[in-house]
Amino acid sequence: MRRRSEGGSTMPEYGYDLIATMYKGARHPVFIKGEDYSYVFLSDQACKLTGVPFEELIGKTDYDFLPQTEADSVRAMDKHILETGAERLFEEEITSQDGSLHTLVTHKRRVTVSLGGRLTNLVVVEIDDVTELRNAENVLRASEEHHRSLIELHPQTPWVANARGEVIEIGPEWEQVSGRSIAAARGHGWADSVHPDDLAQVTSSWAEAVRTRTRLDIEYRLLNGDGDYRWYRCRAAPRIHASGEVSRWYGLLEDVHDRQTAFEALITSERHLRQHRDDLEKIVETRTAEVKEKNSELARLLEQEREVNALQRRFVAMVSHEFRTPLTIIDAAAQRLARVKEVPTLAYLAEKSVQIKGSVSRMVELMESILAAGRLQTGVIEINKKLCSLADIVGSCVHHRQEICSTHQIHADLSGLPTEMQVDAQAMERVFGNLLSNAVKYAPRAPDIYVRGWMEHEIIHISVRDTGVGIDEEDLSRLFEPYFRAQSAAGIAGTGIGLNIVREIVDMHGGTISVASEVGKGSTFTVNLPLRHQNPDIREAA
């Protein structure tokens, strides 16, 4: 029994059964053509591929269902295969009857079989429909191109490293970033572009991330092709395999130089603003302290002015009293002399003369003190130094005070003083006259006054010591202030300007005056005058 296509070649029944057994259930479509190029067999998958029933294809040629141009191409190849026995493996696109385009990988070969005792050449066509595969590849290729374009346009530089942390891939932007080739960056070559100050931290952070399989996020400086360093942010994350092991590291290198520069500028500006604020606070504190100090000084000066005014009022009252006392003494002495009916004795006259003379001297001292205080306040007092004997000046003061004060005995030792030196004689008379007057006045029940002069280390010292009422320690610091009187001077006549004048005169001579005192035991005032600018030919008194 033979199988015959309509108008086509015939095939014995047993021959057809053999081929059907071999190819009917084949996984891929199988077409078999006879020597007249008509189809003598189609596998189930072939029928499915063409969409045409088996019965409609048997005995038909490619011209029955393919466009003319495609059928001509297929016929030429089949002819060549039948004539030469050559095999063909190729990929082609064909249009099915429904108009859809299929991509096929076709394997054509000639097979010679014995059918009915005759050798017959057949064209065996095995087809693998790869339409879906090629579509998937095209989609994948398009996606790859899409992502590659995105990566190329992305401002960041992607890179990939293996599980050991060695860079195996890096984006083309690396060459623009570093000025070095991509090949030079592979492995650990990228580290050569890191700033030396950042290298240790970067390599240790990357090694720690690889060891612990944790994300990396770090900023550091990279050397570019111009020889400058720019700031970059490097981030990386591991891809963990199902087994738990790292298969790859994926990273991005982002240029953050402008942001870092702006941040550093902001930090610098903030530091300057903070410094400016601190400076302003210091200025405010300083100005506030100055204002407080000035207010305190003004308050002190105001209080001092009040005290001076009060002292001046007391001074006026004391001066009035001081003038009234000697005038009363003079008046009383004059009245007693007037009431004497007999010729007064010389002793009586001498007594009244001493009283009158002492009162007059006291009044003169008061007047000179008042005038000197006025000149000091107006700044018109002058010191006229001349070469003279300080011992004679002090001795004269001692003699004058002894003459008008018979109640006290003044013991003077001036042998240690130089014979001559430059001083203002009248001013020095006022100094030691005042000190001797105070010694007598504040020692009413202690008749002995001691005056001593000596020279030590080119400094002349003259002390006046009494054993009278003394001065409270708390009053010593204010003793030379104008109009001030110590507590121990209560009830004793005085103006409070004498010692102030003494200190000013001594200061004008370049010297100092000191006081040592104890209440109930007396006081010692010491005048200290320098020998500088004096006559180098100084001789001490014998």
Side-chain angles (χ1 to χ4, degrees):
M1 182 179 181
R2 296 179 181 268
R3 292 262 183 173
R4 177 183 295 273
S5 61
E6 298 180 2
S9 61
T10 60
M11 179 183 296
E13 186 70 28
Y14 65 87
Y16 173 82
D17 292 339
L18 175 63
I19 293 175
T21 301
M22 294 174 59
Y23 294 109
K24 184 174 179 58
R27 186 170 62 86
H28 299 294
V30 177
F31 297 85
I32 299 178
K33 298 177 183 180
E35 293 177 343
D36 59 355
Y37 308 109
S38 64
Y39 289 97
V40 297
F41 177 80
L42 286 83
S43 68
D44 295 340
Q45 293 296 327
C47 295
K48 183 177 179 181
L49 174 64
T50 59
V52 180
F54 176 84
E55 292 77 8
E56 295 182 9
L57 282 176
I58 294 299
K60 300 290 183 66
T61 66
D62 294 308
Y63 288 99
D64 295 323
F65 57 87
L66 290 179
Q68 178 73 35
T69 55
E70 291 185 18
D72 289 343
S73 176
V74 172
R75 174 64 60 86
M77 183 179 293
D78 291 346
K79 182 179 179 182
H80 177 73
I81 292 172
L82 285 174
E83 292 176 352
T84 64
E87 292 188 18
R88 289 290 185 267
L89 179 64
F90 58 92
E91 185 172 313
E92 62 181 341
E93 291 183 348
I94 64 170
T95 304
S96 64
Q97 287 186 338
D98 61 3
S100 61
L101 191 64
H102 288 263
T103 302
L104 306 177
V105 175
T106 303
H107 181 207
K108 287 187 175 185
R109 57 193 173 93
R110 186 183 70 183
V111 177
T112 303
V113 297
S114 177
L115 296 175
R118 185 175 73 87
L119 294 178
T120 304
N121 292 323
L122 301 176
V123 178
V124 179
V125 183
E126 297 179 78
I127 297 176
D128 187 5
D129 189 346
V130 294
T131 302
E132 293 183 0
L133 176 62
R134 293 296 181 261
N135 289 338
E137 289 177 349
N138 290 333
V139 171
L140 180 61
R141 188 178 298 109
S143 177
E144 182 180 352
E145 291 295 330
H146 171 73
H147 287 290
R148 180 178 292 107
S149 298
L150 289 178
I151 290 175
E152 290 176 353
L153 294 174
H154 201 284
Q156 301 182 16
T157 304
W159 56 272
V160 181
N162 59 24
R164 296 186 299 275
E166 299 168 344
V167 173
I168 56 178
E169 294 180 29
I170 192 166
E173 297 82 2
W174 171 258
E175 294 181 346
Q176 298 178 0
V177 168
S178 66
R180 301 173 67 233
S181 67
I182 293 177
R186 292 193 176 97
H188 296 286
W190 55 268
D192 294 337
S193 297
V194 179
H195 194 287
D197 294 343
D198 304 336
L199 183 58
Q201 181 184 3
V202 172
T203 53
S204 63
S205 298
W206 176 227
E208 181 66 14
V210 171
R211 186 185 67 83
T212 58
R213 299 187 299 180
T214 55
R215 290 176 176 265
L216 175 73
D217 192 344
I218 190 172
E219 293 185 2
Y220 54 88
R221 289 162 288 180
L222 284 175
L223 182 66
N224 61 23
D226 297 330
D228 300 323
Y229 283 96
R230 291 183 65 86
W231 281 96
Y232 286 85
R233 181 186 182 187
C234 183
R235 289 172 291 171
R239 181 178 181 183
I240 309 298
H241 194 267
S243 63
E245 298 297 326
V246 173
S247 59
R248 286 286 189 274
W249 282 86
Y250 295 94
L252 286 174
L253 194 62
E254 178 185 3
D255 188 335
V256 295
H257 186 78
D258 294 339
R259 185 191 70 187
Q260 183 70 18
T261 303
F263 179 73
E264 291 177 354
L266 179 63
I267 294 298
T268 301
S269 177
E270 183 180 357
R271 183 170 61 252
H272 288 165
L273 287 175
R274 190 179 295 110
Q275 181 63 41
H276 183 62
R277 181 200 64 190
D278 295 341
D279 292 342
L280 286 177
E281 289 179 353
K282 290 180 181 178
I283 292 174
V284 171
E285 290 177 0
T286 301
R287 295 291 185 269
T288 303
E290 290 176 355
V291 170
K292 289 182 179 179
E293 184 178 353
K294 289 180 179 179
N295 288 339
S296 299
E297 181 65 14
L298 287 174
R300 186 189 66 79
L301 292 174
L302 181 61
E303 183 62 26
Q304 183 178 352
E305 183 68 19
R306 292 195 185 103
E307 292 180 359
V308 169
N309 290 336
L311 289 172
Q312 286 178 339
R313 289 193 294 270
R314 289 198 298 271
F315 170 73
V316 172
M318 286 188 295
V319 167
S320 300
H321 177 73
E322 288 293 312
F323 274 108
R324 188 180 298 112
T325 299
L327 286 174
T328 300
I329 294 174
I330 293 173
D331 181 65
Q335 289 183 17
R336 288 180 183 177
L337 287 174
R339 286 197 299 268
V340 174
K341 297 180 179 180
E342 298 179 356
V343 177
T345 63
L346 293 175
Y348 185 76
L349 290 175
E351 178 186 353
K352 299 306 176 185
S353 176
V354 169
Q355 291 177 352
I356 293 172
K357 190 174 182 179
S359 297
V360 171
S361 177
R362 176 59 182 161
M363 292 175 67
V364 171
E365 289 177 356
L366 284 172
M367 290 301 300
E368 289 180 349
S369 296
I370 293 171
L371 292 173
R375 288 194 294 270
L376 283 174
Q377 289 181 350
T378 57
V380 297
I381 191 169
E382 295 182 358
I383 296 296
N384 299 314
K385 294 182 181 181
K386 294 182 180 179
L387 195 62
C388 54
S389 173
L390 187 58
D392 291 345
I393 295 172
V394 178
S396 175
C397 292
V398 170
H399 176 73
H400 176 70
R401 183 57 53 184
Q402 189 68 75
E403 188 179 40
I404 64 176
C405 183
S406 59
T407 57
H408 287 71
Q409 183 64 38
I410 302 176
H411 308 276
D413 179 8
L414 306 174
S415 59
L417 296 178
T419 56
E420 292 180 333
M421 64 180 297
Q422 293 281 349
V423 293
D424 185 323
Q426 290 184 351
M428 284 296 149
E429 285 178 357
R430 186 173 294 114
V431 169
F432 292 104
N434 180 277
L435 293 178
L436 288 169
S437 174
N438 287 346
V440 171
K441 184 166 49 177
Y442 294 108
R445 295 184 180 83
D448 293 312
I449 307 297
Y450 301 91
V451 180
R452 188 169 74 93
W454 73 99
M455 186 171 65
E456 184 179 7
H457 303 302
E458 297 186 347
I459 301 294
I460 296 172
H461 307 280
I462 302 173
S463 65
V464 177
R465 180 171 64 89
D466 66 70
T467 56
V469 297
I471 305 168
D472 292 288
E473 183 177 358
E474 60 191 55
D475 291 337
L476 292 177
S477 61
R478 300 189 60 193
L479 197 60
F480 295 98
E481 294 180 8
Y483 312 119
F484 178 79
R485 302 201 71 209
Q487 300 177 52
S488 57
I492 301 176
T495 61
I497 61 175
L499 288 178
N500 176 252
I501 296 172
V502 167
R503 186 186 65 179
E504 293 296 331
I505 293 174
V506 172
D507 286 346
M508 291 179 179
H509 280 77
T512 60
I513 182 170
S514 59
V515 58
S517 182
E518 187 176 351
V519 176
K521 293 186 179 181
S523 304
T524 300
F525 287 83
T526 303
V527 176
N528 312 289
L529 299 172
L531 274 175
R532 62 179 180 272
H533 307 304
Q534 305 296 341
N535 190 334
D537 186 17
I538 296 177
R539 301 182 303 276
E540 292 188 0

